[in-house]
Amino acid sequence: MEITGVVAAINALDIMCKTADVELASWERKLGGRLVTLIVQGDVSAVTAAVNAAVEQAIKKPASYAVIANPHEEIVKLVELSASRWKKKQQENPEEALESKNSSKK
């Protein structure tokens, strides 16, 4: 799912995770966070339910969305690459991740 804005992306992700048994595989911010891509994974039926719920209930309408059942190995590689960059950033800047986490609790 691609949606405009980090707040809307967090809202959509929250809806998806609460709706069905899915988990965040990766996410990317483009254009300074204006466009946020969320990639969730799980059973096809769970992902479909989660995406449909987010499309209907999110605070902003997604720019685009799709459910890919049985993705091609090249798609899997792209998602793994994205996830590795995301995890690497977390490992390189644990203080930043902790500050972000603590500020969201306030």
Side-chain angles (χ1 to χ4, degrees), residues 1-67:
M1 171 177 290
E2 189 169 61
I3 196 163
T4 305
V6 174
V7 172
I10 297 299
N11 171 251
L13 179 61
D14 184 60
I15 291 166
M16 288 191 283
C17 290
K18 288 178 178 175
T19 298
D21 187 20
V22 297
E23 63 181 29
L24 179 65
S26 185
W27 76 296
E28 292 189 13
R29 292 182 302 163
K30 299 294 180 192
L31 303 173
R34 193 170 69 208
L35 290 177
V36 179
T37 303
L38 299 170
I39 302 172
V40 296
Q41 62 187 15
D43 291 339
V44 176
S45 59
V47 172
T48 301
V51 169
N52 288 341
V55 168
E56 294 297 319
Q57 300 171 29
I59 58 176
K60 286 188 177 180
K61 182 179 177 184
S64 63
Y65 59 93
V67 175

